[in-house]
Amino acid sequence: LYQRGNRDENLVNVVKSKLVSNYSGNKEDFSGGLVAVNTNGDLYNETKSEEIREYRYSGPNVNNYVTFNNETWRILGVFKDEEGAEHIKIVKNEIIKVTDFPSKYQVNETTFNIRETDNGNGVYWNSTKTGTNINDWTTAGLQYWLNSKGTDIGYLNKINSPDKDMIYEAKWYLGNVNVTTNENDSIISIDTPVIAYEHERGNKPCSGSCSGGDVWSGNQSTWIGKIGLMYPSDYGFSTESQYWNSSMHNWNKTQLNTSWLKENHTEVEWFLSPSSNSVYRITSWIAPAGFMSHRTANFSNAEQHMMARPSLYLKSSVLISGGDGSKTNPFQLLNA
């Protein structure tokens, strides 16, 4: 147990204490752990005059398990908000069961088709704009359902009260990730984790097509809310650092197998970030191959069901009341 006397320890401090300070980026001496990322998006080197941007769990074997809402979640890392406070970001270890999604979800007078009923059991992104098929997270039916903004019970209202009170209402960044295609609309390349991180947080308006821009016309560059999805860079930085500067569209099981996220990567999943290729498309993670792609907001395919795995930030004051972060003994949380 992480306790000093009768006082429970702060979760952020405990996680940061696990920093692997001797990792050089050489896969031969690394099986996984918490690493620091410098402001350039590269592996932090404590022997150089660098500044740490954030802390992330990287590699195939990491003890980042936490119990949240009586479920198993995983810690992505430690991130600062704009005021400098540090927050733990977590992601559900498994996708939400399809049966937990309603087939339709109503917000005010708008009804969203949330779950596929004709072609299988996937989840739509959808939007109130332009007949639902647009990549605006702030008006997405999936966002409304995750954050329980509607007449039916959504995901946030299914989280038990003590754990719900631990959630930090964070600023999420909605910049595009750059997706390059050829004349046949086949993907040529997608950002590296390092570059994706910068584009996700970009706010340069698009002009016509979105090459060279970050935010589609009419879309917001940020959103304040409690429950979102992983960024493409969250997946990217979960792999070993030797891959952080390579295009995620060219990845395969080699890269996936160096990431702890491989454990329950069994379905095609939505990411949070829009694609720069089309105002209709959102970045996605293709299972089980491990590469990144994109799909339209109303994507429906019997063989590739789109699924969602919620992610959220915890308040910086959250404590640990027990556990060691392992799969068999995950961290137990306590609201300060």
Side-chain angles (χ1 to χ4, degrees):
L1 300 182
Y2 286 101
Q3 294 182 333
R4 292 172 180 163
N6 294 321
R7 294 178 58 190
D8 299 293
E9 284 202 66
N10 179 269
L11 177 61
V12 169
N13 292 340
V14 170
V15 170
K16 287 174 63 177
S17 72
K18 304 298 183 183
L19 179 65
V20 180
S21 59
N22 61 349
Y23 174 45
S24 65
N26 186 338
K27 64 180 181 179
E28 279 73 24
D29 61 10
F30 184 70
S31 62
L34 187 78
V35 300
V37 180
N38 67 24
T39 52
N40 293 324
D42 297 316
L43 191 69
Y44 169 76
N45 188 329
E46 61 183 1
T47 64
K48 298 180 180 180
S49 55
E50 297 179 336
E51 183 179 344
I52 295 176
R53 186 178 73 189
E54 70 228 5
Y55 301 85
R56 291 183 180 268
Y57 279 101
S58 171
N61 304 305
V62 299
N63 289 323
N64 64 346
Y65 293 85
V66 61
T67 298
F68 182 81
N69 195 39
N70 298 318
E71 301 166 332
T72 300
W73 289 56
R74 308 290 294 273
I75 298 174
L76 283 159
V78 182
F79 303 86
K80 289 182 180 179
D81 62 25
E82 291 187 333
E83 284 71 45
E86 293 180 309
H87 300 273
I88 297 290
K89 186 179 184 181
I90 61 176
V91 62
K92 198 171 183 294
N93 195 39
E94 298 178 348
I95 58 174
I96 302 174
K97 294 179 181 178
V98 173
T99 53
D100 287 340
F101 289 94
S103 59
K104 297 182 182 297
Y105 189 69
Q106 186 171 345
V107 181
N108 297 325
E109 297 181 356
T110 301
T111 300
F112 294 87
N113 293 321
I114 295 291
R115 176 159 58 95
E116 295 177 22
T117 55
D118 296 332
N119 293 329
N121 293 313
V123 179
Y124 294 114
W125 174 287
N126 284 345
S127 171
T128 55
K129 293 182 176 180
T130 320
T132 75
N133 189 22
I134 200 166
N135 58 15
D136 185 356
W137 175 253
T138 68
T139 60
L142 178 56
Q143 181 266 119
Y144 289 139
W145 183 80
L146 286 172
N147 290 276
S148 297
K149 299 175 182 176
T151 57
D152 299 317
I153 294 177
Y155 187 77
L156 182 61
N157 282 342
K158 296 180 181 182
I159 297 177
N160 60 60
S161 294
D163 289 355
K164 187 187 299 184
D165 293 339
M166 298 181 194
I167 301 174
Y168 174 64
E169 192 168 37
K171 175 182 283 189
W172 298 75
Y173 298 94
L174 306 179
N176 305 321
V177 167
N178 192 51
V179 180
T180 304
T181 59
N182 60 22
E183 63 277 6
N184 297 319
D185 203 29
S186 297
I187 296 176
I188 300 172
S189 68
I190 294 180
D191 281 340
T192 69
V194 170
I195 297 175
Y197 181 93
E198 300 300 329
H199 284 169
E200 291 159 2
R201 288 153 182 78
N203 57 16
K204 182 180 179 181
C206 299
S207 176
S209 68
C210 219
S211 57
D214 301 307
V215 181
W216 286 98
S217 176
N219 286 11
Q220 296 177 196
S221 61
T222 61
W223 168 76
I224 305 296
K226 293 189 173 181
I227 301 181
L229 304 172
M230 285 191 296
Y231 296 115
S233 64
D234 287 333
Y235 166 47
F237 281 110
S238 73
T239 65
E240 291 178 353
S241 61
Q242 60 182 315
Y243 301 117
W244 294 356
N245 285 288
S246 60
S247 168
M248 288 186 280
H249 181 65
N250 296 329
W251 286 8
N252 53 42
K253 290 185 178 180
T254 298
Q255 289 77 20
L256 176 64
N257 286 337
T258 73
S259 167
W260 54 266
L261 281 165
K262 67 179 181 178
E263 181 174 307
N264 283 301
H265 181 47
T266 58
E267 303 284 348
V268 183
E269 296 182 35
W270 293 115
F271 282 128
L272 185 68
S273 305
S275 166
S276 68
N277 173 263
S278 167
V279 72
Y280 306 120
R281 288 172 171 165
I282 301 96
T283 52
S284 58
W285 188 20
I286 307 302
F291 66 91
M292 185 176 142
S293 187
H294 61 186
R295 292 291 183 267
T296 56
N298 62 359
F299 182 78
S300 175
N301 184 302
E303 296 181 356
Q304 286 191 350
H305 309 309
M306 297 303 301
M307 295 305 302
R309 199 185 324 201
S311 180
L312 57 88
Y313 293 86
L314 298 172
K315 293 177 180 177
S316 58
S317 58
V318 169
L319 306 175
I320 288 179
S321 61
D324 59 12
S326 64
K327 189 173 185 177
T328 57
N329 190 22
F331 291 130
Q332 305 299 314
L333 305 183
L334 179 66
N335 201 13

